[in-house]
Amino acid sequence: MPKDHGIGAAPKRREDVRFLTGAGNYTDDINVNGQAYVHFLRSDMAHGAINSIDTSAAAGMPGVVRIFTGADFEGVGGLPCGWQVTDRHGEAMQEPAHPILCQGKARHVGDPIAAVVAETPEQARDAAEAIEVDMTELPAVVDMKAALEDGATKVHDDLTSNLCYDWGFVEENRDAVDQAIKDAAHVTTLELVNNRLVANPMEPRVAVGDYNRATDDSTLYTTSQNPHVIRLLMGAFVLGIPEHKLRVVAPDVGGGFGTKIFHYAEEAFCTFAAKACNRPVKWTASRSEAFISDAHGRDHVTKIELALDADNNFTAIRTETYANMGAYLSTFAPSVPTWLHGTLMAGNYRTPIIYVNVKAVFTNTVPVDAYRGAGRPEATFQLERVIDKAARELGVDPIALRRQNFIQPDQFPYATPVAVEYDTGDYEATMQKLEEIGDLSGFEARRKESEARGKWRGLGVNCYIEACGIAPSNLVGQLGARAGLYESATVRVNATGGLVVMTGSHSHGQGHETTFPQVIAEMIGIDENMVEIVHGDTDKVPMGMGTYGSRSIAVGGSAMVRAAEKIINKTKKIAAHLMEASEADIELKDGAFSVAGTDKSVAWGDVCLAAYVPHNYPLEDIEPGLEETAFYDPANFTYPSGAYACEVEVDPDTGKVTIERFAAADDFGNVINPMIVSGQVHGGLAQGIGQALLENCAYDETGQLLSASYMDYAMPRADDVPFYDVDHSCQTPCTHNPLGVKGCGEAGAIGSPPAVVNAVIDALHSGGKTGVMHIDMPLSPDRVWAAMQ
């Protein structure tokens, strides 16, 4: 029988009541008394030298408070990069300056040149249009390979070239991999593109800066996934504000998908301008601005080679990838195509040696950074597409080829040749579950039914593994991270027994306000409604690293458990004193303390009250109050995995692809709330399907963004996705966190793109007998139709 409370139960999300009734508190809902509004004048050139900026006419327009240009930020720090990558020759990456407003040059369409602060948004916009900017258009570099050619225009004149770094991993494997590929019985080669995406969260980015002259305190309200990181980066490296004088608040946030992890120029500007103007300053992005100022995702061009022996065992993998950084280094951009991608190239398989080469390139485009999955989808797409192509070349079943090369359950913990150690997993179990829930045995009958209607039906499968709960701090520090990656929690128990949990993990759709209380309630044996979650305000919660990389429950939840354990230990001491028993004999169950082997007991609430009314316990041994803090730094990543199957129909007359069925079998370790986990998978699947079939961020050769609105950027809608069959019953608990959890937020977006593409290729082969081996995403009707011809 399903549980009705605690871990494993599926209560409805408590936060949805305020969201669905319009009572949410988003950053744009925050209006500070006396605030002004900012409008950014953005470059319409991808690459241009700024000769002069004339603000005189604009300054005299109605409502204008002040106009800022890059000259106002001389001596102010630029936006920092939070991760340094060392290349395969031992050299540090090239790291250009990233000014808040352009200084000397604009480097992508949307680069902010000037900013107008005015009494109303309309007055700010009108004045910005009156600013006269004299610019000389320079050649733009958009194509990554062309950007690395001799004589290519440099995005940053002070760098030696447009190459950020040339990374090799594992470098000592390079010659051995080359030899293994030469000696292989069969080598499958595939060249592919992982298309650039715009994250498009429902809520656009917003920033409100406020300054208190009396106390010299600055406050930034912002749409962020990690307010403490914004405070650290902006305070220490950009504006030089001591952290105790800077408060960052991220209230309700309407979706992030990675794009709200990063520190942006608009946040620094609003904080700076509020002090300079001595009044609050607010900016709300338009959707058009979001397309040209939010960090984009993906954008890799890759050649991958898979070597097999005569028995179809994988013997080596070699990849060469060009990764687009855009015009500047966004906060975590260098880590995405390297440590978050190269370390996952082993996938679910026993490949003995692997070599990954990544060339990161500056271009005159919007910066690229982490987007749902961040490096893991790129690795999985390469690997699962080349395996499918190998199976087709060899004439073997693609599921059988995968099974033959799976890491086996008795091989865990399994050290891969790309420097990570999977602690648990059972890839055969998830494949078996996939065959069951996806009814793969019935596929041929469904294919024939489709053929009777003139459609070609295809089946695509995919296996994935990802590294979540990014960790440990000492390891990522060696790999170039410029911040720790622990998480924090403070548990405060009130005198009547209710708890407030202050967590460094930020919620922007994950359901923390529902799931975190389930964990605490399970530990103590109380109702979840007695637990309140506080997050998103650097003045209220201890220093934390925020939410991304499916780390909330594995890292943030573990910090919460550790703090709650301290609370329980203290309450047991108090209960022992109240019942005149040994602390070792005290048991806590169902919200009551008892003495083992006796009928003595005292309720949770009575012990909590005694903590705050310490009339009769020894203060020399037990201090009053019940509040504890814990910082949790994980010992390893967590490794969710799964197997996905997609069935599509292709219309041979038009090339239109319709997804008919999708099944996902995931291993997330222990599951806190099955309903929320299913919802996370559903959302990820929709985003992955969007990338596979619809979404594409396209630039022309001059650096103009062609897909700069929903008129040209195709987001998935309800009729583009099917009903999903999802399962997460195959659970191999994580061995190194107290909850045994692995994380679920990114899985759907990682596993779905290759499953969709594999299905389409299968339809073209099996139904259409076309011989098509690959089509780059998105598989739009025109691309599929052209390939069929």
Side-chain angles (χ1 to χ4, degrees):
M1 180 179 293
K3 293 183 67 174
D4 59 1
H5 67 279
I7 293 174
K12 293 181 179 179
R13 300 193 340 159
R14 64 166 75 171
E15 50 267 71
D16 286 351
V17 173
R18 70 174 187 273
F19 296 151
L20 294 173
T21 58
N25 183 39
Y26 296 89
T27 309
D28 195 50
D29 294 323
I30 296 171
N31 295 292
V32 185
N33 185 44
Q35 75 187 14
Y37 298 83
V38 62
H39 183 88
F40 291 96
L41 176 65
R42 299 181 182 276
S43 176
D44 58 4
M45 295 181 189
H47 199 192
I50 301 172
N51 303 317
S52 64
I53 303 174
D54 185 353
T55 63
S56 56
M61 293 182 68
V64 172
V65 175
R66 183 168 170 180
I67 298 175
F68 294 83
T69 67
D72 293 294
F73 291 88
E74 295 289 344
V76 175
L79 302 182
C81 179
W83 201 295
Q84 183 184 64
V85 165
T86 301
D87 73 10
R88 63 191 186 89
H89 305 294
E91 298 294 326
M93 67 187 188
Q94 295 202 91
E95 192 170 357
H98 186 179
I100 294 172
L101 297 178
C102 293
Q103 295 176 339
K105 279 173 65 169
R107 293 179 173 86
H108 66 85
V109 170
D111 216 356
I113 294 174
V116 178
V117 177
E119 298 292 344
T120 70
E122 295 78 15
Q123 290 172 331
R125 183 178 63 245
D126 290 345
E129 292 175 355
I131 297 174
E132 296 183 8
V133 182
D134 178 29
M135 293 179 67
T136 300
E137 187 164 12
L138 303 172
V141 288
V142 178
D143 179 83
M144 287 184 280
K145 293 182 180 179
L148 297 183
E149 292 176 355
D150 291 340
T153 301
K154 288 195 289 187
V155 177
H156 296 274
D157 296 333
D158 56 330
L159 301 186
T160 59
S161 70
N162 291 319
L163 180 67
C164 178
Y165 55 76
D166 180 358
W167 185 77
F169 189 71
V170 175
E171 189 64 26
E172 52 265 34
N173 287 351
R174 187 184 187 109
D175 292 342
V177 169
D178 291 348
Q179 190 61 47
I181 289 174
K182 288 179 183 177
D183 296 340
H186 182 87
V187 177
T188 293
T189 302
L190 181 61
E191 297 189 32
L192 50 84
V193 173
N194 207 292
N195 41 322
R196 180 185 280 235
L197 304 173
V198 180
N200 282 307
M202 186 177 294
E203 178 199 26
R205 287 192 297 115
V206 185
V208 183
D210 191 16
Y211 176 69
N212 186 329
R213 176 164 285 183
T215 61
D216 194 33
D217 289 336
S218 294
T219 300
L220 170 69
Y221 302 93
T222 183
T223 46
S224 175
Q225 296 175 221
N226 49 1
H228 276 103
V229 173
I230 304 305
R231 185 183 70 170
L232 174 64
L233 295 177
M234 185 175 75
F237 300 102
V238 186
L239 301 181
I241 303 173
E243 284 188 87
H244 68 285
K245 289 294 182 182
L246 176 60
R247 177 189 179 198
V248 177
V249 181
D252 290 329
V253 171
F257 311 122
T259 199
K260 291 176 182 172
I261 298 172
F262 323 120
H263 178 36
Y264 287 97
E266 295 86 359
E267 295 169 321
F269 176 83
C270 288
T271 307
F272 179 90
K275 183 174 182 178
C277 299
N278 194 30
R279 60 187 296 186
V281 174
K282 182 174 186 175
W283 168 76
T284 301
S286 68
R287 187 59 65 179
S288 297
E289 271 189 298
F291 271 91
I292 55 174
S293 65
D294 288 3
H296 293 171
R298 314 288 191 247
D299 205 352
H300 289 189
V301 176
T302 298
K303 177 182 177 182
I304 180 170
E305 297 163 281
L306 171 64
L308 303 93
D309 66 17
D311 296 320
N312 296 340
N313 298 308
F314 302 166
T315 59
I317 292 171
R318 180 172 62 197
T319 74
E320 182 178 6
T321 291
Y322 291 84
N324 205 335
M325 294 288 100
Y328 304 100
L329 290 178
S330 180
T331 305
F332 291 121
S335 68
V336 175
T338 52
W339 301 110
L340 298 183
H341 154 243
T343 52
L344 269 295
M345 282 309 304
N348 308 62
Y349 310 104
R350 305 184 308 269
T351 309
I353 47 175
I354 296 172
Y355 181 72
V356 179
N357 177 242
V358 178
K359 295 178 176 66
V361 186
F362 293 112
T363 62
N364 292 115
T365 62
V366 171
V368 178
D369 208 322
Y371 171 72
R372 197 169 190 169
R376 285 69 61 90
E378 295 90 323
T380 300
F381 187 70
Q382 298 168 39
L383 188 57
E384 293 297 313
R385 282 293 300 121
V386 80
I387 291 172
D388 237 52
K389 186 172 185 241
R392 205 166 295 285
E393 291 173 349
L394 294 165
V396 300
D397 178 72
I399 293 179
L401 182 61
R402 288 173 168 86
R403 274 194 162 114
Q404 175 181 337
N405 287 280
F406 276 160
I407 299 163
Q408 297 302 305
D410 62 359
Q411 293 181 292
F412 291 96
Y414 184 84
T416 75
V418 278
V420 293
E421 182 176 278
Y422 306 156
D423 59 334
T424 61
D426 189 340
Y427 310 140
E428 176 59 32
T430 50
M431 182 61 79
Q432 288 180 4
K433 179 60 69 171
L434 177 72
E435 291 175 319
E436 173 192 327
I437 65 173
D439 184 25
L440 301 196
S441 62
F443 171 71
E444 285 303 326
R446 294 190 291 274
R447 191 203 295 273
K448 290 177 182 177
E449 190 273 333
S450 295
E451 289 175 351
R453 293 185 287 105
K455 301 293 176 64
W456 299 345
R457 195 176 192 102
L459 170 65
V461 296
N462 159 71
C463 296
Y464 80 90
I465 187 168
E466 61 161 325
C468 291
I470 188 166
S473 290
N474 57 3
L475 172 61
V476 298
Q478 296 172 30
L479 303 182
R482 289 166 168 164
L485 289 171
Y486 52 84
E487 199 45 80
S488 65
T490 294
V491 176
R492 176 182 299 157
V493 185
N494 300 316
T496 52
L499 295 91
V500 178
V501 178
M502 291 153 278
T503 172
S505 295
H506 186 278
S507 179
H508 44 278
Q510 292 84 358
H512 294 173
E513 293 173 40
T514 302
T515 54
F516 284 7
Q518 288 180 252
V519 174
I520 297 294
E522 176 91 4
M523 294 177 70
I524 299 172
I526 57 176
D527 189 279
E528 285 97 336
N529 291 321
M530 293 178 66
V531 184
E532 189 72 19
I533 303 298
V534 175
H535 65 91
D537 186 337
T538 61
D539 271 10
K540 292 182 178 179
V541 303
M543 178 76 172
M545 290 294 108
T547 295
Y548 42 86
S550 301
R551 73 193 302 269
S552 295
I553 194 65
V555 187
S558 294
M560 186 176 61
V561 167
R562 293 293 184 238
E565 288 172 343
K566 294 180 182 180
I567 291 288
I568 291 170
N569 289 339
K570 184 171 180 180
T571 54
K572 283 184 175 180
K573 289 182 180 180
I574 299 172
H577 176 74
L578 294 176
M579 292 186 285
E580 298 179 330
S582 168
E583 182 185 338
D585 293 333
I586 301 299
E587 297 175 345
L588 173 60
K589 184 178 181 182
D590 296 331
F593 298 89
S594 60
V595 180
T598 76
D599 59 358
K600 287 185 176 182
S601 70
V602 60
W604 166 260
D606 292 335
V607 172
C608 297
L609 182 62
Y612 288 95
V613 187
H615 291 168
N616 65 344
Y617 67 72
L619 294 176
E620 64 274 14
D621 297 326
I622 309 172
E623 64 183 28
L626 272 180
E627 181 170 327
E628 298 287 351
T629 296
F631 287 79
Y632 176 81
D633 202 323
N636 190 2
F637 297 88
T638 64
Y639 298 99
S641 61
Y644 289 4
C646 176
E647 289 185 32
V648 302
E649 279 190 345
V650 177
D651 184 335
D653 296 327
T654 65
K656 178 174 173 54
V657 176
T658 304
I659 297 181
E660 296 294 324
R661 298 165 67 98
F662 204 109
D666 294 290
D667 174 3
F668 296 134
N670 293 334
V671 170
I672 305 300
N673 185 313
M675 178 193 68
I676 287 179
V677 168
S678 293
Q680 288 280 304
V681 175
H682 286 188
L685 292 175
Q687 286 186 269
I689 289 168
Q691 176 176 16
L693 296 183
L694 298 160
E695 299 182 50
N696 193 40
C697 191
Y699 283 91
D700 70 10
E701 65 278 0
T702 69
Q704 291 296 323
L705 183 60
L706 302 177
S707 51
S709 75
Y710 290 151
M711 294 292 290
D712 301 295
Y713 188 94
M715 294 281 285
R717 290 175 283 190
D719 61 353
D720 292 311
V721 297
F723 287 97
Y724 310 114
D725 293 300
V726 303
D727 178 272
H728 33 78
S729 64
C730 299
Q731 298 175 5
T732 59
C734 176
T735 59
H736 54 78
N737 66 54
L739 290 167
V741 293
K742 293 186 176 183
C744 65
E746 300 162 296
I750 294 170
S752 52
V756 173
V757 177
N758 288 345
V760 173
I761 299 302
D762 183 61
L764 299 188
H765 259 269
S766 303
K769 307 295 190 291
T770 63
V772 175
M773 294 297 264
H774 181 71
I775 305 172
D776 277 324
M777 299 184 292
L779 275 66
S780 55
D782 62 316
R783 287 190 177 189
V784 176
W785 187 88
M788 291 190 300
Q789 308 312 307

